[in-house]
Amino acid sequence: MLGSILGKATSGQHDPVDMHIKTCTEDCFHCARWCELCVTECIQMDTPGMSHMTALCRDCAESCFMAIKFMSRKSPYFFMTCHVCAEICDACAAACEQHAIEHADNEIFHNCAAACRQCAERCLEADALIKNAVEH
């Protein structure tokens, strides 16, 4: 049933699902970009305790890329990958926000946290969008 809803919903040029996929893909890409920059920053800082942060940012970037792939091919499972992506983005944002406090002069942590929060919000909209489509 979900496949038929998604197939019908994504056939129109100005369809809400198509528009959501476009903006969500952009936010996921933006988030992955900042996470990759954050990984590089963490490695260059060579500060104790940054290995967890580096791993978390890598996981976040990979989950964003996975969500992009599923959305791009309009997989009937894209909302599931978006939900996982949102959870990882929230965790990454929290860690980046903490490091932004500890390293107030470092804008990368602040920007990464903001990108992760935006991506998580957009990805969670996918779940609501599909639930709404199923109910109607």
Side-chain angles (χ1 to χ4, degrees), residues 6-51:
L6 188 58
K8 289 177 187 173
T10 59
S11 61
Q13 187 177 13
H14 298 289
D15 187 272
V17 174
D18 277 343
M19 291 169 44
H20 174 77
I21 287 173
K22 182 183 183 308
T23 56
C24 192
T25 298
E26 291 167 358
D27 285 342
C28 284
F29 186 78
H30 183 70
C31 180
R33 180 183 171 272
W34 277 107
C35 284
E36 291 294 338
L37 289 170
C38 198
V39 166
T40 301
E41 183 69 14
C42 290
I43 291 169
Q44 289 174 351
M45 287 178 75
D46 195 29
T47 305
M50 286 298 202
S51 61

Side-chain angles (χ1 to χ4, degrees), residues 53-74:
M53 183 73 181
T54 302
L56 185 53
C57 282
R58 282 182 175 154
D59 286 348
C60 190
E62 287 300 317
S63 71
C64 288
F65 288 131
M66 180 180 67
I68 289 168
K69 290 175 185 179
F70 275 63
M71 285 185 287
S72 295
R73 63 178 174 253
K74 296 179 182 172

